[in-house]
Amino acid sequence: MENMALLKNSQFNRTIAFLFVISCFVPASLHIDFYGLRLEFYRFLLIIFMLSNLGVIFKSVDNKENRLLALFCLLAALSYILNNGLSYIVSGIILFLEVYVVFILARYCFENSYLQYKLIKLVGVIFIFLVPFALKEANDGIRTLQLLGAQISGTETSSYLGDNYFRYGIHRSSTVFSHPILYGVIAAAFIPIFMVSTKGLFRVVTVFSLLVGVVVSVSSVAFMMCAVFLVAYILKRISAYYRNIYRDFIRTGIILFFILSILSNRGPILFFIQTFTLNSNTAFTRYQQWQFAMDDILRNPFFGYGFGEWTRPHWLAPSIDSYWLNLTLENGITALLIIFLFCVVVLKKMMRAYSYNRNAKIYGYIIALISLYIAAFTVDYFDRAQIFFYFISGFSLGLLTSEHKKSLKNVNAKTVE
């Protein structure tokens, strides 16, 4: 506990943590290729943070969610080594940095309300800054920020993603991210967080900026995440008058799923894909990926295939568009179960805290996490998306600590009075 206190109270660690968040919005094209290793500024900062807190990080497995995440990283590294050779231990170290170290940084370096609010404002300002570049890219398709990053670092990048990225009269915008879908998903994930963490004009401007990111990414999953927020908001309002609304909503969803299974010859999943997605062809491709990947998963359930090829028809692209599916293919069913347990533990802690005091801020973070869990079925969290997935998970638990401290102060103040 003393070691964790040193990590939390270190001004150096806090500075690194804020710089790390800023670095996550540096264009993906701005990096250095070092003997085949892609060195980005955020990775450099994570290495500094890890090395300066090495003892603390390895002693941080003092609770269930930390242990589960550390175990996942260990299993993934073992999978890469067994499937691809000892040289791929580097991939295991990178995963450890971008998953476990990010989670620890987010959880313990922002464990008071003041720091959390400063970080939220910082992220909001960055998304506001991205709006004109996003709108320009949506209009002409030119990736201005990516080209700028490539010029600075001397790397290569595409100035235009191609005609396939032109939908509904809009060139899909990626801004600083490597793919438009990442811009849309990350922007969408922050909407409920800003709704509960900010006020007044700043909230209006930042949420608008995030919605711009959702729209110009032209991503079905980003719009679906917004639909999840809307449903959650309606359910919360109804719960004030009808306490069992969440239970009955889930039951109704299960009943509708079975009704569609019986009445529709396409099944409920295909029905949803072909009815509600912006591009039914790419959505159907995602459906086929799940079908064809299952044989490989069942053939190697414990350690997956690492970075090996998966069995598929020649006409199906090699990329996997689902974080859960890709994780299972690479690292096995065991790794998926560990991450599933991690998500359950984090969500259970959040929901238990919310059930005690009905804190609107905690509810916003719960919805952000649930939307990320759902989106992971149709989006592979590569590049910055994986980082933000685990950052928001850690940041959410840090919020619980700060809100608990705040409630204790309020109780003590009332006791003194």
Side-chain angles (χ1 to χ4, degrees):
M1 293 298 290
E2 290 181 7
N3 289 328
M4 296 311 295
L6 288 173
L7 189 152
K8 298 173 191 177
N9 298 323
S10 167
Q11 185 60 46
F12 174 78
N13 286 336
R14 289 175 181 173
T15 303
I16 291 292
F18 273 99
L19 287 174
F20 165 73
V21 173
I22 294 171
S23 69
C24 288
F25 292 95
V26 170
S29 58
L30 205 166
H31 65 272
I32 300 170
D33 290 316
F34 183 74
Y35 292 101
L37 185 65
R38 183 186 175 104
L39 287 180
E40 296 192 51
F41 188 45
Y42 75 83
R43 284 181 177 170
F44 177 69
L45 290 170
L46 286 175
I47 290 169
I48 293 174
F49 179 81
M50 182 183 73
L51 292 177
S52 60
N53 299 281
L54 202 58
V56 179
I57 287 172
F58 282 109
K59 290 178 181 178
S60 62
V61 286
D62 56 349
N63 55 57
K64 195 179 293 183
E65 58 274 14
N66 289 16
R67 282 194 295 271
L68 286 168
L69 205 53
L71 181 60
F72 162 70
C73 291
L74 180 64
L75 187 65
L78 190 58
S79 167
Y80 298 145
I81 293 168
L82 290 174
N83 286 295
N84 305 109
L86 190 59
S87 62
Y88 277 79
I89 193 171
V90 175
S91 298
I93 294 170
I94 291 172
L95 182 81
F96 180 75
L97 281 172
E98 297 186 357
V99 172
Y100 191 76
V101 176
V102 165
F103 176 77
I104 294 298
L105 179 148
R107 179 171 190 175
Y108 296 112
C109 290
F110 301 101
E111 220 179 44
N112 70 62
S113 300
Y114 174 70
L115 291 174
Q116 287 163 1
Y117 184 65
K118 280 183 69 175
L119 180 75
I120 292 298
K121 285 195 73 173
L122 174 64
V123 173
V125 169
I126 292 172
F127 272 107
I128 292 168
F129 170 79
L130 292 180
V131 168
F133 296 98
L135 293 175
K136 180 185 179 299
E137 189 176 340
N139 180 57
D140 60 20
I142 304 300
R143 307 169 77 207
T144 306
L145 291 173
Q146 296 291 355
L147 289 173
L148 179 62
Q151 287 176 357
I152 293 171
S153 59
T155 56
E156 293 183 1
T157 190
S158 301
S159 61
Y160 178 63
L161 289 174
D163 294 338
N164 289 334
Y165 287 82
F166 187 73
R167 289 184 186 173
Y168 299 97
I170 297 174
H171 294 275
R172 300 182 68 190
S173 297
S174 57
T175 59
V176 297
F177 302 100
S178 56
H179 194 281
I181 201 168
L182 302 186
Y183 182 29
V185 167
I186 293 168
F190 275 106
I191 290 175
I193 292 174
F194 275 91
M195 287 296 293
V196 298
S197 303
T198 56
K199 295 178 181 179
L201 180 62
F202 185 71
R203 176 165 64 181
V204 173
V205 175
T206 49
V207 171
F208 172 77
S209 302
L210 295 168
L211 286 172
V212 168
V214 170
V215 173
V216 298
S217 72
V218 200
S219 169
S220 300
V221 69
F223 283 103
M224 180 204 68
M225 291 170 76
C226 292
V228 171
F229 309 151
L230 182 61
V231 170
Y233 174 76
I234 292 170
L235 292 177
K236 187 176 184 296
R237 295 300 295 265
I238 295 173
S239 67
Y241 308 98
Y242 180 45
R243 292 184 60 186
N244 295 325
I245 183 62
Y246 294 103
R247 182 197 65 190
D248 292 344
F249 179 78
I250 293 169
R251 286 179 177 176
T252 303
I254 294 171
I255 291 169
L256 288 173
F257 182 88
F258 282 110
I259 290 173
L260 280 172
S261 299
I262 296 168
L263 297 181
S264 174
N265 59 354
R266 294 176 290 176
I269 296 174
L270 271 181
F271 174 82
F272 179 84
I273 286 172
Q274 295 173 344
T275 306
F276 298 107
T277 56
L278 296 176
N279 188 322
S280 59
N281 292 328
T282 57
F284 185 65
T285 299
R286 285 168 166 79
Y287 177 77
Q288 290 176 311
Q289 289 170 356
W290 281 86
Q291 287 183 311
F292 290 114
M294 282 303 162
D295 289 338
D296 284 343
I297 290 170
L298 295 175
R299 271 195 292 266
N300 202 350
F302 296 109
F303 295 105
Y305 280 78
F307 294 114
E309 285 288 321
W310 59 288
T311 308
R312 63 189 185 280
H314 66 89
W315 44 263
L316 193 60
S319 61
I320 293 288
D321 298 308
S322 165
Y323 181 65
W324 302 133
L325 182 59
N326 197 40
L327 186 153
T328 312
L329 266 175
E330 283 188 6
N331 309 126
I333 295 173
T334 308
L336 177 68
L337 290 175
I338 290 169
I339 287 296
F340 173 76
L341 287 173
F342 165 79
C343 293
V344 168
V345 170
V346 170
L347 199 57
K348 189 176 179 181
K349 280 194 171 185
M350 298 292 292
M351 294 179 76
R352 187 187 297 124
Y354 176 70
S355 67
Y356 288 151
N357 54 23
R358 299 290 169 178
N359 187 317
K361 192 178 287 188
I362 294 174
Y363 187 79
Y365 279 80
I366 289 172
I367 301 309
L369 287 171
I370 290 174
S371 69
L372 284 169
Y373 298 160
I374 295 172
F377 282 98
T378 61
V379 179
D380 181 23
Y381 289 155
F382 62 97
D383 195 33
R384 314 295 167 83
Q386 177 174 256
I387 290 169
F388 278 108
F389 180 83
Y390 291 101
F391 186 91
I392 291 174
S393 298
F395 196 77
S396 299
L397 293 178
L399 173 80
L400 288 190
T401 303
S402 68
E403 290 300 306
H404 179 66
K405 288 178 182 176
K406 195 186 296 183
S407 64
L408 286 178
K409 282 183 181 179
N410 292 336
V411 170
N412 292 334
K414 289 180 181 178
T415 304
V416 170
E417 289 176 4

